[in-house]
Amino acid sequence: MTDTTDDIAEEISFQGFDDYCKLLKNLLNDVLQREVGADFVEKLERNRTLAQSACNLRLAGIEDTAELLEKQLASEISKMTLEEALTLARAFSHYLNLMGIAETHHRVRKTRDLTNLSKSCDEVFNQLLQGGTSADELYDSVCKQEVEIVLTAHPTQINRRTLQYKHVRIAHLLDYNDRPDLTQEDKEMLIEDLVREITSIWQTDELRRHKPTPADEARAGLHIVEQSLWKAVPHYLRRVSTALKKHTGKPLPLTCTPIKFGSWMGGDRDGNPNVTAKVTRDVSLLSRWMAIDLYIREVDNLRFELSMTRCSDKLSREAHVILEQETSPEDRHEGWNQPLSRNQTKLQRQQTPSLPMQLPATADLPSCTECGNNGGSQYPKLQLPGTDYKPLNCQHVQDSSKSESSFQDSSHGSCKSITNGGVATSDSHQSAPSPRGSFTSSQLLAQRKLSTEPKIVRSGFQKLLEPSPPQRPGIAPYRIVLGHVKDKLTKARRRLELLLEDLPCEYEPWDYYETTEQLLEPLLLCYESLQSCGAAVLADGRLADLIRRVATFGMGLMKLDLRQESGRHSEALDAITKYLDMGMYSEWDEEKKLEFLTRELKSKRPLVPPTIQVTPDVKEVLETFRVAAELGNDSLGAYVISMASNASDVLAVELLQKDARLAVSGELGRPCPGGTLRVVPLFETVKDLRGAGLVIRKLLSIDWYSEHIIKNHSGHQEVMVGYSDSGKDAGRFTAAWELYKAQEDVVAACKDHKIKVTLFHGRGGSIGRGGGPTYLAIQSQPPGSVMGTLRSTEQGEMVQAKFGMPHTAVRQLEIYTTAVLLATLKPTRTT
């Protein structure tokens, strides 16, 4: 530890924001003094002092003196070499990032100390009740609320993901510093950790040296879920439930989800030729893989926690059914195509699944700590399928020595094949076999060595790892049921790995979970059993958190929206109508287009011939619809049409979607999974905003379309309004007024046709892109436009700023909930 760091250790007991800033600034200067020298730090501080003094003088109205200081600052910078100027810019950039971390931490710290948090559920629920809203109306409004936050990739996010992780670690260290029980030695070690992180940041390249691919952007979104939202959502829902119970006497229903998440990363192809149908498919499958992987970790913790034997009759019957299936060779479905030996089959009939051999990663921590720092500095990174395979995994060991026992530990689970008792399982995080030909010579040598080891040595080693088998077998029903859940999740994860690698998959539908309802069923069974047996306190812990995560994130974490420019659909229909000798679609007037589209939508035959020859651009559009038909609305959300200006733009997408589903279902021999995607027109320019109401009226006046909305989308019409292009088109003030009027027109059109409307706001980021305080933005919407439903994008660096830390994410989710609730029950009236 340097002398400077020793001095800073005395300042560790700070109270305010200025103290956080002073600590991090001094640590940065300490690092810079070692990295670039004391002379540079002196120049840095001189320039910082000049800049701050000039700014303060201008704020005080002393313009002449401020101008003199600014000239002196310009002179100082002009004397620097290019290398010195670059180093100065880097230093100030990192300084501002550290100040941002300090500000965020101070804000979180202040909210913890406040008894009555502004805009919280507790405050707003009480405010509504005091204002005349009945308890039943409040409860129903919260339970029926449907808010979706759509994360988008955007070039305004300049920080590399590795730097974002380092910033998160610094924030956690500041949080750890607030503990009142730290000793002087703990504080000094904390300072050393902060110095290490800042040094690592300084020595890391801040700039991306290659353009991120759509898959890179999607992985960044998944990191946000794993890093923050996964922990924040249960905490947020507990807060809502607690406030509801306090003010209405009834908690939030377990599977009720006022807020869900969507994504454009990997689906937004408007102007981005790199987003192809294959990219969309891979990103969607990867998102499902990540969801299942996270669920497996949670089920591991639950299997450890729910060790009790008392349960309901229904759960007991389910556990016995599972045992009978697992111990009956003719009924067992082999998930990994690995036949069990005769000894394994025999011993399976004698024993039930036991406690996992290793304690799950967070099983020793109460679930309420998951929104904090978990008492440590472990920040898991997303491990993706098909990369960084272990040299040996379960399947390789079983192939090399089927009659022997093996054990492999991984970062998120364990992997075992037990022949001396117990059921063979496979729950390694890296359970996928390496692709053919990917083994190195050292890996093959290790595998060969393992297969030739003396059996007595390996079995003796195994005895040290495994718990002793019980003398009298008993039944732990929750562990049996959850073990079965984990087995099906593991097979679902493996299936997705095979699909991502374009390898054949032989699993039957009953071998794995495919829908949210299938996964919720056994979890709710365990919850009801615990409630009925007097263990409600257990039911409302980790198990309730997992159920709420499943209800919120589903089987895909974030449903992926598709976005395409309206002209691309016209090009596709041009090619189709020309091939069918019907003329050029784009040359028809609006009425002829609507007549053609309506007629084809009512037809039961496919429109696009299988033998049609089209250009690569048109082929890509048609392939996107085929992928959407294969994935269905379980994985995908809405199909957004940018630059929409006519009713035919919407019907064109409906027709191409219908035609693709007919073709895919014919190939599969069964109906396509899920339902049709919601088709959402996006009105962006001032001209299109002014015509938005007329377009929606025209659409809803078409019998086929209105019946389709009622039948397939529960009578909900979704319309998106764009803030960025309208601002560029007419300026922020004019754009704001046109957006307001367009929303009023759309709401009136839907109301006249007795159709509910959900407005999708393409806003976020800078002011020029519609950014600003979320609470005020929602409150300023036209009356009747926020009737318990809202969709909104979060863009670029705002995703990390709002949802990068669990505590800030909880606060943002609560603000969304209360703002939408107030806009629904007490809308702002305009005069």
Side-chain angles (χ1 to χ4, degrees), residues 110-124 126 239 246-247 811 814:
K110 280 181 64 179
T111 58
R112 288 176 182 159
D113 297 336
L114 293 175
T115 306
N116 298 315
L117 195 60
S118 174
K119 305 180 185 70
S120 67
C121 290
D122 186 51
E123 182 200 59
V124 171
N126 181 64
R239 186 175 290 184
K246 173 182 176 181
H247 294 287
R811 181 67 176 143
E814 192 171 25

Side-chain angles (χ1 to χ4, degrees), residues 535-566:
V537 66
L538 284 171
D540 291 327
R542 284 187 188 275
L543 180 56
D545 287 348
L546 177 56
I547 291 171
R548 282 174 169 151
R549 283 179 173 125
V550 174
T552 300
F553 294 110
M555 298 302 288
L557 285 186
M558 301 180 290
K559 286 191 176 185
L560 185 63
D561 281 2
L562 307 182
R563 184 168 77 136
Q564 182 62 278
E565 198 264 330
S566 59

